[in-house]
Amino acid sequence: GDPKVPVLYEVERTRTGKSFSVRSVKAIQHGQPIFTCQASFQLSQGSPVQHQFTMPAVPPPEELLTQEELIQKFLQNPNLAERYKKHLNKIQAEDVPIDIKPVNPPDVFSLEPQEPKQLFWVRARGYIGETDMKVHCCVAAYISDYAFLGTALLPHRQYHVKFIVSLDHSMWFHVPFRADHWMLYECESPWAGGCRGLVQGRLWRRDGVLAVTCAQEGVIRVEQTPNQSKL
C-alpha cells in the first residue's frame, strides 16, 4: 500500500449469530484490493473446557540486551565485513515502534544452520494503557509480524535472501493482555519448501498465560550460491 493515498474499506457482514459474528474486509487503493481480512467476534462465554501449553522457561527481559544493544555490540567487532556493517547500521536506523529483547540471538558471525525457533521479549514502545482491547489486538498484530517469517530462514543462513514477503497471516486472541507490557514471543517454523515457508507463534503474557496464537505463510526466494563468511 501507499501511505500517501487514502484507503477505501469495504466491509461485508458475512455472518451475524447469537454468539459468533464474522466480517469480511477489503482494503482498496487505486481501484485495486491491497489487503483482505476476515475477522471473527465472539461474546464472552465461560467453559470448563480449558487448557494451554506451558510457557517456555526463559530469563526475564530485565536480564537481556535489546536488539539495538546487540547490534552495537556486533558493530564493535573490528573484523566485521563492511557490507555487514552497512546492513546492521540499516537495521539500527529503522524506526521500529517495538522494544525487542531476543532470548537466544543468532550468531551474526556464523552461517551455520540453526534450529528454526526463536524467542523474543516484545512490547510496544510508549504507554497505551487500559484502553479498548481492540487497540491492544491491533498493536499485537503489528508486533507479531516482526521477524516472524525470518524464523524459517535460520536453518538456511548460508543463502542470501532475494525476496521475502508474507502471503497470509492468521491470529487467534485468547485472553486480554497489554501490548505495552512485556510478552514472550515464541516462534517456530515446522516446514519450508517450494519457495514458501510456514511459521507459527505464541504470544505469552508475563504471568505464563497464552494470550495470542499466530500462523503465517510467506514467499522466500534466495540466491542459489551460498554466502561467504561475515568476517
Side-chain angles (χ1 to χ4, degrees):
D2 185 346
K4 298 178 182 177
V5 176
V7 179
L8 173 65
Y9 291 97
E10 291 185 354
V11 181
E12 176 189 335
R13 296 179 179 235
T14 309
R15 181 180 184 277
T16 301
K18 294 181 179 179
S19 300
F20 294 87
S21 294
V22 180
R23 299 292 183 264
S24 299
V25 183
K26 183 186 295 184
I28 300 172
Q29 274 187 338
H30 304 294
Q32 298 292 329
I34 61 171
F35 173 82
T36 58
C37 169
Q38 182 166 289
S40 290
F41 304 89
Q42 179 195 7
L43 289 175
S44 180
Q45 295 174 301
S47 170
V49 180
Q50 297 185 54
H51 74 268
Q52 65 164 50
F53 284 173
T54 300
M55 178 178 171
V58 299
E62 291 78 14
E63 296 180 8
L64 300 171
L65 297 177
T66 65
Q67 180 169 273
E68 290 83 358
E69 291 169 335
L70 285 167
I71 289 175
Q72 197 58 44
K73 182 180 177 181
F74 297 146
L75 289 172
Q76 291 173 359
N77 189 317
N79 297 318
L80 184 63
E82 188 61 33
R83 67 189 181 109
Y84 292 105
K85 288 182 181 178
K86 291 181 180 178
H87 177 66
L88 290 173
N89 280 319
K90 182 179 179 182
I91 295 175
Q92 198 171 39
E94 292 178 353
D95 186 20
V96 180
I98 312 169
D99 287 325
I100 304 165
K101 291 192 173 185
V103 174
N104 50 352
D107 183 357
V108 297
F109 304 116
S110 171
L111 298 177
E112 290 297 317
Q114 295 189 2
E115 190 178 13
K117 293 184 177 181
Q118 296 193 89
L119 290 163
F120 305 92
W121 284 105
V122 293
R123 69 179 178 187
R125 286 182 176 166
Y127 176 79
I128 299 176
E130 297 287 350
T131 183
D132 191 324
M133 188 60 212
K134 291 190 288 291
V135 175
H136 289 283
C137 290
C138 290
V139 175
Y142 181 93
I143 290 174
S144 70
D145 191 48
Y146 188 82
F148 196 19
L149 196 54
T151 310
L153 288 167
L154 290 177
H156 315 284
R157 302 180 69 211
Q158 70 272 30
Y159 294 106
H160 173 69
V161 179
K162 293 195 301 182
F163 184 75
I164 181 169
V165 67
S166 170
L167 289 171
D168 51 60
H169 191 98
S170 300
M171 300 185 73
W172 296 266
F173 299 97
H174 309 309
V175 296
F177 60 91
R178 287 276 299 270
D180 54 349
H181 288 179
W182 285 116
M183 292 192 293
L184 182 68
Y185 195 17
E186 180 186 9
C187 307
E188 58 187 3
S189 174
W191 176 88
C195 294
R196 292 179 293 128
L198 177 67
V199 287
Q200 299 169 340
R202 290 178 280 273
L203 276 167
W204 299 89
R205 287 191 335 206
R206 193 163 179 174
D207 60 1
V209 173
L210 180 59
V212 185
T213 299
C214 315
Q216 185 179 98
E217 186 183 42
V219 177
I220 301 175
R221 302 189 191 280
V222 300
E223 298 280 1
Q224 294 298 318
T225 304
N227 280 331
Q228 300 298 314
S229 171
K230 300 183 180 183
L231 294 177

